[in-house]
Each structure stands twice: as structure tokens, then as C-alpha cells.
Amino acid sequence: MKALTYQGAKDVRVENVPDPVLLAQDDVLLRVTATAICGSDLHIYRGKIPGMKDGDILGHEFMGIVEDVGRKRSAARWC
């Protein structure tokens, strides 16, 4: 799949990354259909978040279609 990755201050790239998998029983896999950015993304882009490492995947403002859920989640809860 494609994802926006952090490569250092003012350097973000769309790259191919491995498809996500369910790891925890309460995980949800979502196929993103729309996304946006917010002010906190600018802090990351400018290199102001010390915990960011090259290759980290960016994004937290999104919506989409639930593709799979962990065993502790019921698909009915997400409809």
C-alpha cells in the first residue's frame, strides 16, 4: 500500500509500505477513502517532534471503510 512517510524535517514522501495486519484483538483495519491535515502535522513536517524517525508513517485525520476487525471488536459496532 502507499503511505506518506517522514524522512526528516521538510522531507515527506509517498512510498510503498507493507500492508497492515491485525496484531491485537482490538485492532481495526480501515481502507482510507478521505484524508486531511491539521496544524499538528505542520509540527511534524518542520521536524519539531523529537520522537519521529525516518520512515515513520504519517496521518491521523482520515475516514474510510472497515475492512477487518480483531476478535474483541464486533463489526456491528463500526457500522
Side-chain angles (χ1 to χ4, degrees):
M1 72 172 212
K2 294 198 180 293
L4 184 66
T5 62
Y6 178 84
Q7 301 299 324
K10 299 183 180 176
D11 184 3
V12 295
R13 302 174 195 167
V14 175
E15 297 185 318
N16 288 315
V17 298
D19 288 342
V21 296
L22 295 172
L23 298 175
Q25 293 182 15
D26 61 349
D27 280 353
V28 173
L29 291 181
L30 187 82
R31 179 167 29 106
V32 175
T33 58
T35 188
I37 63 169
C38 72
S40 63
D41 295 311
L42 296 175
H43 300 300
I44 296 169
Y45 176 73
R46 292 178 181 146
K48 303 296 184 187
I49 307 298
M52 294 299 295
K53 301 180 295 302
D54 290 359
D56 282 353
I57 296 173
L58 302 176
H60 65 275
E61 299 282 343
F62 53 85
M63 64 183 217
I65 299 167
V66 175
E67 293 290 334
D68 201 359
V69 296
R71 290 184 289 163
K72 282 191 176 179
R73 299 271 185 202
S74 164
R77 286 183 63 192
W78 298 95
C79 296

